[in-house]
Amino acid sequence: MSAISNRYEFVYLFDVKDGNPNGDPDAGNMPRIDSETGHGLVTDVSLKRKVRNYVGITKRYEPPYDIYIKEKAVLIEAHEKAYKELGVDLEKDDKKRKGGDRVPEARSWMCKNFYDVRSFGAVMALKVNAGVVKGPVQLSFARSVDPVLQFEHSITRMAVATKEEAESQGGDNRTMGKKHTVPYGLYRSHGFISAFYAEDTGFTEEDLQLFWNSLTNMFDHDRSAARGEMSARRLIVFKHIGEGESARLGTHPAHKLFDTVTVHRKSDGPPRSYADYEVKIDEAAIEKLKGKIELLDLI
Amino acid sequence: MAKSKTLKIKVWGENACFTRPEMKVERVSYDVMTPSAARGILEAILWKPAISWRIERIDVLNEIRWQSVRRNELGSKIPFSNVTKAMKDGKGSLALYIEEERQQRAGLFLRDVAYVIHAHFSLSDRKGPADNIKKFEEMFERRVSKGQCHHFPVMGNREFPAFFAPADDGERPHPVDRDLGFILYDMEFGVWDENSSDYESARPRFFRARLESGSMVVPAWDSAEVLG
């Protein structure tokens, strides 16, 4: 199957209810927040982690959909680990380029086998100078539409970790903990897909479909005590169309496409659900771009 | 050498990180876009082996503001020998496990940036018979006005998209005078190696940058001000 031959941009809206969409390691794992404006943030890498996990579990970590950067929580086999350690041993102090004419071959082999390498790219020690596969898919930080409020909840556990603790409490055996949530936040992220890089890494229409599926479904497979209720709410894709090269290069500036999607509050008071918002697409502006841009409303 | 007229482009974004080479583990951005990052943006829009871009001036339109973000990052890269071994054997795990290699890194990024880049290109010795300056000037202007690009340009890192449009004559830099110290100009690359799809060597070059009324004038690449 051949690589995609259109440029794409997309607006991705997701929300969180009583959960922590992305903890900030600098702030004791409180939800990330822009301290100047109070808007919530979710980093690009946090979203990409979920795409990797979704593709990994649905495709069972098998080539050509294997995942290069895994979370350990998923299957690990002893022999694989042994192999890895052996491999690392072989490497030792080697920082210089090695492999000569096999480098391009190894690079494309990695792209072929690993979904995340051919979508997002990867830094592999294949070159001296910042050896990279640049992936076609590029995501920005997601930012909440309105400022979010960070809640801190104290919680108790009816058990203690050690005997010493139990003794000091005289058998009361309770530990206090903390949990952080935002009551509600609707987040907006922008994404970009380059057809030229897709050609380079072999990112196909099928891969693209899988990417849309993962954005649609990934939160449904990422449930945890910390996350609360997270849902993908809207995925609006702009496909650049036209003859050959122009579809690849693009037919309209990205920022103008993003401007056609606006999110408004339709209620007063603090927002607590998706129903408090209205997402509008400027139909007239899209109509004017007929033949240049195809709008795909995927969620 | 024949060179194009000065081309202008406005670029802006929500965040930017033009990483200082001396602080790249926990990334700290330079105060302004480096000529090297500006070249990267122009090349994302139009580049062929026939042309090489040179930055003349960068206007800083917004006040310089900062934001700190700490993220979980991966601490290692895959060794080349592991890939070749797996290719040969047809099996083996090449995955990296994030729990084993995790590093938490902070980044000090710029926020709410906007610049006007003034630049020209000249034709390189890799030009073909059909290549001429006028053609590429027009291609560039056409692409900028239509928003076309090879890949989407970025503000230093790929998570920070750089939106672009033709520069409006009304744009005025945020008037600040500041000595920015020595900043990275660009990398000086050695000979291209087909086998590895990479340059044989790369060496950084620096210059003493100043903001005068919000503009950073970039000296010529081959001038005495540029230190290798």
Side-chain angles (χ1 to χ4, degrees):
Chain A
M1 216 173 158
S2 60
I4 59 166
S5 48
N6 301 77
R7 174 180 140 185
Y8 295 85
E9 269 94 39
F10 56 93
V11 176
Y12 181 50
L13 294 170
F14 59 91
D15 67 355
V16 59
K17 193 165 184 250
D18 294 322
N20 184 355
N22 186 200
D24 184 350
D26 252 353
N29 209 35
M30 302 255 281
R32 287 185 192 277
I33 203 162
D34 177 335
S35 47
E36 273 186 299
T37 64
H39 288 82
L41 293 173
V42 173
T43 59
D44 60 311
V45 285
S46 165
L47 297 173
K48 290 199 284 193
R49 172 82 266 148
K50 293 187 206 317
V51 172
R52 286 188 165 100
N53 289 352
Y54 176 82
V55 172
I57 55 171
T58 54
K59 298 287 185 180
R60 315 256 181 257
Y61 296 96
E62 297 281 350
Y65 297 103
D66 202 356
I67 294 297
Y68 171 46
I69 297 166
K70 283 179 182 160
E71 263 186 85
K72 203 177 170 189
V74 242
L75 48 115
I76 174 165
E77 290 172 41
H79 75 266
E80 288 185 342
K81 188 142 192 248
Y83 169 81
K84 186 178 159 234
E85 272 158 21
L86 183 70
V88 171
D89 241 21
L90 288 173
E91 186 55 18
K92 281 252 171 351
D93 71 0
D94 178 25
K95 288 263 186 322
K96 287 274 168 207
R97 185 197 348 260
K98 260 195 169 176
D101 54 2
R102 296 206 75 193
V103 171
E105 197 191 332
R107 192 178 174 278
S108 62
W109 188 87
M110 288 297 288
C111 287
K112 209 169 97 194
N113 285 277
F114 291 91
Y115 182 79
D116 55 341
V117 174
R118 67 177 180 276
S119 314
F120 302 136
V123 178
M124 303 185 282
L126 301 179
K127 298 184 196 172
V128 180
N129 172 32
V132 287
V133 175
K134 281 193 193 163
V137 180
Q138 185 181 335
L139 279 165
S140 70
F141 279 17
R143 183 172 273 272
S144 66
V145 175
D146 283 311
V148 295
L149 188 68
Q150 296 165 306
F151 277 156
E152 184 173 301
H153 311 274
S154 288
I155 49 176
T156 54
R157 181 173 68 174
M158 307 311 281
V160 288
T162 62
K163 247 188 189 145
E164 289 73 29
E165 254 184 283
E167 277 159 19
S168 75
Q169 288 192 12
D172 211 17
N173 293 10
R174 282 205 287 186
T175 347
M176 299 291 286
K178 290 221 182 311
K179 189 171 173 148
H180 305 281
T181 64
V182 299
Y184 184 77
L186 179 63
Y187 291 74
R188 172 174 180 157
S189 172
H190 292 164
F192 308 82
I193 301 176
S194 158
F196 294 98
Y197 282 163
E199 207 172 277
D200 182 45
T201 69
F203 181 83
T204 63
E205 289 290 343
E206 213 172 345
D207 290 332
L208 181 69
Q209 207 50 53
L210 181 58
F211 180 65
W212 299 142
N213 287 347
S214 59
L215 290 182
T216 308
N217 299 312
M218 65 193 192
F219 293 118
D220 294 323
H221 301 276
D222 187 58
R223 303 283 176 212
S224 78
R227 296 276 173 259
E229 282 174 56
M230 291 188 72
S231 317
R233 289 296 183 173
R234 217 48 204 271
L235 176 58
I236 298 160
V237 177
F238 301 100
K239 180 179 183 178
H240 295 254
I241 52 174
E243 289 303 304
E245 204 70 343
S246 78
R248 257 177 251 247
L249 279 169
T251 51
H252 202 59
H255 62 278
K256 292 191 180 173
L257 294 173
F258 291 141
D259 287 348
T260 63
V261 179
T262 48
V263 184
H264 300 283
R265 279 287 296 287
K266 53 178 188 187
S267 63
D268 296 324
R272 286 295 180 263
S273 80
Y274 187 60
D276 292 329
Y277 287 95
E278 184 176 26
V279 180
K280 267 196 185 151
I281 302 172
D282 185 345
E283 304 284 351
I286 299 297
E287 183 60 28
K288 272 195 204 145
L289 295 171
K290 220 173 170 188
K292 291 164 98 181
I293 296 290
E294 188 185 339
L295 185 136
L296 312 166
D297 207 344
L298 297 183
I299 308 178
Chain B
M1 203 190 338
K3 60 176 198 175
S4 74
K5 64 180 177 186
T6 299
L7 296 155
K8 288 198 296 178
I9 176 174
K10 182 182 174 183
V11 294
W12 68 94
E14 209 159 88
N15 287 102
C17 181
F18 310 109
T19 310
R20 290 174 182 268
E22 69 274 24
M23 288 184 272
K24 61 184 183 185
V25 175
E26 300 222 74
R27 297 179 195 91
V28 177
S29 177
Y30 280 120
D31 299 33
V32 298
M33 172 184 281
T34 60
S36 151
R39 174 180 60 83
I41 287 178
L42 300 173
E43 287 178 353
I45 296 165
L46 174 70
W47 182 78
K48 285 202 165 194
I51 64 175
S52 59
W53 284 102
R54 290 279 183 248
I55 310 302
E56 297 174 0
R57 199 173 102 200
I58 296 174
D59 295 337
V60 182
L61 303 184
N62 294 351
E63 193 191 337
I64 296 169
R65 289 159 66 210
W66 300 90
Q67 178 177 18
S68 165
V69 179
R70 186 178 291 267
R71 293 178 286 184
N72 289 318
E73 297 188 17
L74 188 65
S76 66
K77 298 179 284 190
I78 192 164
F80 177 68
S81 57
N82 289 19
V83 180
T84 44
K85 185 166 189 307
M87 282 167 72
K88 206 172 77 203
D89 299 352
K91 65 174 166 66
S93 167
L94 291 168
L96 292 173
Y97 290 91
I98 185 70
E99 273 75 5
E100 288 172 15
E101 320 270 4
R102 176 171 287 164
Q103 291 182 352
Q104 289 197 336
R105 293 187 185 177
L108 191 57
F109 305 140
L110 296 168
R111 49 171 304 152
D112 234 338
V113 294
Y115 305 98
V116 172
I117 302 169
H118 304 248
H120 67 264
F121 60 83
S122 49
L123 293 181
S124 74
D125 48 15
R126 287 200 275 171
K127 69 172 190 285
D131 293 334
N132 66 66
I133 285 175
K134 188 106 186 112
K135 163 177 144 182
F136 290 123
E137 278 176 356
E138 285 175 1
M139 271 174 89
F140 180 76
E141 285 176 339
R142 212 161 45 230
R143 286 195 184 177
V144 172
S145 63
K146 285 188 184 170
Q148 296 184 319
C149 55
H150 174 274
H151 53 277
F152 210 80
V154 301
M155 292 287 182
N157 289 4
R158 288 196 80 197
E159 54 271 42
F160 306 136
F163 296 101
F164 60 95
D168 170 358
D169 285 335
E171 302 290 1
R172 290 284 167 271
H174 183 73
V176 169
D177 293 302
R178 189 184 291 182
D179 186 344
L180 300 170
F182 285 99
I183 77 168
L184 178 73
Y185 190 124
D186 209 330
M187 304 297 285
E188 185 177 17
F189 298 103
V191 180
W192 180 261
D193 179 355
E194 286 295 340
N195 277 341
S196 61
S197 310
D198 196 8
Y199 295 96
E200 276 178 345
S201 65
R203 212 160 61 96
R205 295 178 74 173
F206 298 87
F207 74 111
R208 184 72 183 258
R210 280 175 200 82
L211 271 185
E212 275 164 31
S213 307
S215 288
M216 179 175 78
V217 174
V218 180
W221 177 247
D222 51 12
S223 66
E225 284 174 69
V226 180
L227 311 171

